[in-house]
Amino acid sequence: MSATVLDRLDHLPRRNLTVLALRGISSLVPGGWTNQTSADELIADVLGSDDPELVAQVRSRADALNLSRHEGYRRALSLYDAVNRSQKAAGGLRVLANVAGALPLVKRLATLTPASQTLQAVDLSLKVGAEMLAFTQVNGLPGDSFAAFGASLTEYASEARVRMAALVCFDALLPLGDNALHRLDALLGQVSSHELHQLPSYAGMASLLPGRGDTAHLAFLRRGVDHWLGWADGFVGELGLSGQRAVRALETTLGPWHGGMEQLATFLDAFTDTYAHTGVQAVARRLVERAAAEI
Amino acid sequence: MSRNLRWGIGLLLLAGLILGAFLFLPFRSWLPGGSVGNIPNRALVNGTNFNRLFPSPEAGEQLVFTQEKRGFSQARLKRGSDVVALLSISDVTSSPASRNKFIHSQERLRSWPLVDQGSQASALLVADRFQVKVIGQGNGMDSQQRHALLEAFDVASLAALNPAIAPAIPAGREARAPGREALAPGRAPGLRLPRFNREAPQAKALPNRSRPSLSNRANAVLEPAA
């Protein structure tokens, strides 16, 4: 069996490319971001007390909750992992294509790699879909009314601001340009089920998406993205996000970048785990909040 | 020959049915490890029933529900954009150990046992089954503020959700006890919780009729016990 959420939190990196990229992006988000990598600190923070006995109780309760299939915390993490794996695989392919394109003999290989813009759009929509599914897996359907549920979503989104900023910058603004959010729907309209199957994360998520068959899944993803776009548009406007600003923010932590924005996005996709990293932190927090309430 | 063919088709159909049953029917949920402590989900009160029992926020405050699962519901109390406290109701059926801390508790709130955990958390055990907890966040809350919040929960209606109170009711009406809504249809309230302090609070709970409308049902059940 895989490691528990809290064990994974304890083993998150304190300083690597992922952390640096997230720290760079978080300079654009008010409130910033702390790289929480200690389960005991998180528990003490939620509980407002660092009594070792209480912390141990919360921890064992959290592990019990984490082990249970019906509770969904593990499933949410496996969603984030699937998305992360897919991102790395797709990023790796594109890095390979860039390298291969420069070598005369294998140049033809480069034409085999998938058309990047639509694929990028599908990748983004899968991430948004994964985010929604993970929300319901972790939190259930809180509140008795749509208004209460909406408030709950907004609350979650503001807690996950840095992940959302990373999602918007790394997967939309950098690879697709500043008007990415307005083009997204048109791009998704061109997607065929063949292209959907080229993404490894789709295979992992297909069973969790509502509806049967690729067309139903695509329709769900488009609807999900449609809802998300309304929020994301406001988010981008509020923080004044743009490709240029994202690059500048990343340069403060990663060092100067001389390539294009698209290459930067490819590089980040292939070599960072932003999704799994922030995902573990978000799930761990909600899990600990619940365990602290139940001990 | 045709007889062999019929046998063949029959066996094929049978194999297909069995295979289909294993592939499509949700056998997975029968396997152990699905829920915490392998307590069936039906034995827990659904979190939806808890939502309406949370205190209503005062002016300038906002209550945002964050988690709702079987046997659990949680909300954040926010003042402006700051989280002031985590409020939650949980069914302790799935975490029996959490009851132990109430055994030696002397403090009472609305006649139910009250415990402080650490410097920021206060918990109340209602009807020997539901734990109501307030955890101060951010700048923190003193214990008086937390106890005031605990008092603002609709504790009487919460107690009425517990089917284990049923034995206190005359035999004929037992089956119609409220709180049965917590169980699946057609299921008797079979799971009785161990009750270590039976003389317990429900008798004393009666004088507390300060909440008028919502608690009517609760009192209707409790009355015969007095």
Side-chain angles (χ1 to χ4, degrees):
Chain A
M1 213 56 342
S2 55
T4 64
V5 179
L6 293 186
D7 282 339
R8 285 188 60 179
L9 184 70
D10 276 333
H11 288 111
L12 283 183
R14 292 190 173 77
R15 188 183 165 84
N16 69 353
L17 213 53
T18 309
V19 177
L20 289 178
L22 282 168
R23 196 158 284 151
I25 275 299
S26 70
S27 64
L28 297 176
V29 181
W33 173 70
T34 44
N35 185 27
Q36 180 67 264
T37 57
S38 155
D40 289 350
E41 272 174 31
L42 175 65
I43 295 171
D45 182 38
V46 168
L47 211 52
S49 133
D50 49 6
D51 178 359
E53 197 189 327
L54 282 178
V55 170
Q57 275 179 31
V58 172
R59 192 163 183 144
S60 76
R61 179 69 189 164
D63 287 345
L65 285 169
N66 173 70
L67 274 180
S68 128
R69 268 199 317 275
H70 290 316
E71 297 299 341
Y73 298 103
R74 234 173 17 177
R75 203 174 293 157
L77 266 197
S78 70
L79 274 170
Y80 287 129
D81 283 341
V83 164
N84 203 62
R85 264 199 309 276
S86 146
Q87 166 191 314
K88 284 199 121 170
L93 268 183
R94 273 182 285 152
V95 167
L96 209 68
N98 274 353
V99 173
L103 303 174
L105 271 180
V106 284
K107 219 170 195 168
R108 303 255 326 260
L109 266 183
T111 56
L112 288 181
T113 50
S116 62
Q117 293 232 322
T118 41
L119 216 58
Q120 186 62 47
V122 184
D123 191 41
L124 177 59
S125 72
L126 275 175
K127 282 178 180 165
V128 173
E131 194 67 59
M132 287 183 191
L133 290 173
F135 173 83
T136 52
Q137 290 295 332
V138 170
N139 304 308
L141 299 170
D144 286 336
S145 63
F146 278 114
F149 184 65
S152 175
L153 261 178
T154 318
E155 172 79 9
Y156 184 75
S158 69
E159 197 175 289
R161 279 171 96 86
V162 170
R163 182 170 58 242
M164 287 294 137
L167 178 69
V168 169
C169 290
F170 300 169
D171 293 295
L173 299 181
L174 287 180
L176 299 174
D178 281 346
N179 56 353
L181 297 182
H182 304 286
R183 285 170 53 207
L184 200 57
D185 197 53
L187 281 174
L188 281 177
Q190 301 164 12
V191 175
S192 64
S193 68
H194 170 67
E195 280 168 314
L196 200 57
H197 280 282
Q198 283 182 325
L199 286 167
S201 67
Y202 176 67
M205 276 176 62
S207 62
L208 288 170
L209 291 172
R212 259 164 206 264
D214 299 335
T215 28
H217 290 167
L218 258 179
F220 169 78
L221 290 176
R222 280 185 79 171
R223 254 204 331 269
V225 165
D226 218 36
H227 284 291
W228 178 78
L229 276 180
W231 178 84
D233 235 11
F235 186 65
V236 167
E238 183 193 332
L239 300 186
L241 296 178
S242 71
Q244 279 297 339
R245 282 199 69 196
V247 173
R248 250 178 283 141
L250 285 170
E251 278 183 330
T252 57
T253 53
L254 291 177
W257 178 263
H258 298 296
M261 287 188 196
E262 209 168 318
Q263 275 95 25
L264 180 57
T266 307
F267 168 77
L268 289 169
D269 269 0
F271 299 112
T272 62
D273 301 301
T274 47
Y275 233 71
H277 192 95
T278 52
V280 168
Q281 289 173 333
V283 175
R285 180 154 202 113
R286 290 281 160 127
L287 179 62
V288 164
E289 282 182 358
R290 169 150 185 208
E294 288 195 339
I295 57 155
Chain B
M1 186 60 208
S2 71
R3 184 176 177 174
N4 282 350
L5 195 69
R6 259 183 282 162
W7 269 102
I9 291 175
L11 284 177
L12 214 69
L13 273 175
L14 196 69
L17 271 177
I18 292 174
L19 199 74
F22 273 100
L23 287 182
F24 296 116
L25 292 185
F27 279 108
R28 257 172 74 83
S29 58
W30 294 6
L31 297 174
S35 51
V36 186
N38 280 326
I39 288 154
N41 263 344
R42 280 176 196 162
L44 302 173
V45 176
N46 200 352
T48 317
N49 298 338
F50 299 148
N51 286 345
R52 61 192 165 85
L53 311 177
F54 278 76
S56 40
E58 289 162 23
E61 290 180 339
Q62 197 195 353
L63 195 67
V64 183
F65 285 94
T66 52
Q67 285 196 61
E68 180 189 315
K69 295 280 181 72
R70 202 86 202 173
F72 182 75
S73 183
Q74 189 167 52
R76 285 183 185 172
L77 186 66
K78 295 181 78 176
R79 202 167 287 150
S81 59
D82 301 327
V83 180
V84 190
L86 290 178
L87 315 180
S88 58
I89 302 181
S90 61
D91 188 337
V92 298
T93 311
S94 73
S95 58
S98 61
R99 260 200 209 111
N100 298 343
K101 63 177 176 284
F102 294 100
I103 294 179
H104 302 295
S105 136
Q106 298 300 317
E107 267 186 284
R108 288 281 185 278
L109 191 98
R110 290 192 178 237
S111 78
W112 304 108
L114 175 75
V115 169
D116 283 338
Q117 279 182 307
S119 54
Q120 284 302 324
S122 296
L124 186 70
L125 184 68
V126 176
D128 198 20
R129 173 156 183 188
F130 302 109
Q131 178 170 215
V132 185
K133 195 177 270 192
V134 173
I135 307 177
Q137 299 285 296
N139 295 330
M141 293 181 126
D142 58 33
S143 65
Q144 253 133 42
Q145 286 172 312
R146 294 199 304 270
H147 294 179
L149 265 175
L150 280 177
E151 199 156 8
F153 278 85
D154 189 351
V155 173
S157 302
L158 183 60
L161 285 174
N162 186 5
I165 289 184
I169 296 162
R173 285 172 55 189
E174 183 174 1
R176 294 189 186 281
R180 258 182 62 88
E181 66 197 27
L183 295 171
R187 227 182 124 85
L191 190 119
R192 288 281 139 73
L193 296 158
R195 264 164 262 118
F196 46 79
N197 47 355
R198 271 204 65 177
E199 74 279 11
Q202 66 245 35
K204 290 180 236 155
L206 276 174
N208 273 321
R209 279 190 171 186
S210 50
R211 279 194 176 246
S213 62
L214 264 176
S215 56
N216 277 346
R217 257 177 355 139
N219 291 334
V221 192
L222 291 170
E223 250 156 6

